[in-house]
Amino acid sequence: MQKNRQSAPTETFPAELHGLAVVALSDGTRNYGLYRVKRVESGTMLLSHGAISFPVGTHLDIEDYKYEEPNHTSFNQPATVAENDHDGIRLVW
């Protein structure tokens, strides 16, 4: 019996972000917590809302926290909040 697995198309994900499910956000000195990844495209990441709502223009560091795929490489990306609305928090780099 085969299981049906729904997953996002891999062509929309940069290779280093494939399987990324949760990221940790910080500003270099403070950790702001964990945020669920909703979508990743070239140069942008959409996160679910978390405990802190960041204003547009905030500079953050995105760090890997949990991958669905084993044997991943570490990920660290400086980014800027481009949008924060009902869809979530959009970060760009």
Side-chain angles (χ1 to χ4, degrees):
M1 176 174 19
Q2 252 184 338
K3 286 185 176 181
N4 289 335
R5 293 175 54 184
Q6 290 182 335
S7 62
T10 56
E11 65 270 11
T12 63
F13 289 83
E16 66 272 14
L17 299 178
H18 181 70
L20 194 60
V22 176
V23 293
L25 296 181
S26 70
D27 69 0
T29 58
R30 288 180 298 218
N31 292 324
Y32 292 117
L34 304 177
Y35 289 76
R36 182 165 304 283
V37 177
K38 292 175 78 173
R39 187 171 53 246
V40 178
E41 295 172 355
S42 180
T44 185
M45 178 181 284
L46 182 64
L47 304 175
S48 294
H49 289 286
I52 299 174
S53 183
F54 302 98
V56 171
T58 303
H59 298 286
L60 297 169
D61 293 322
I62 307 168
E63 298 175 22
D64 61 342
Y65 179 75
K66 180 181 176 187
Y67 279 81
E68 295 172 357
E69 301 292 327
N71 303 323
H72 68 277
T73 57
S74 184
F75 175 76
N76 187 309
Q77 177 69 49
T80 303
V81 177
E83 294 177 46
N84 189 341
D85 58 21
H86 66 278
D87 288 333
I89 302 167
R90 183 174 309 283
L91 303 175
V92 296
W93 55 87

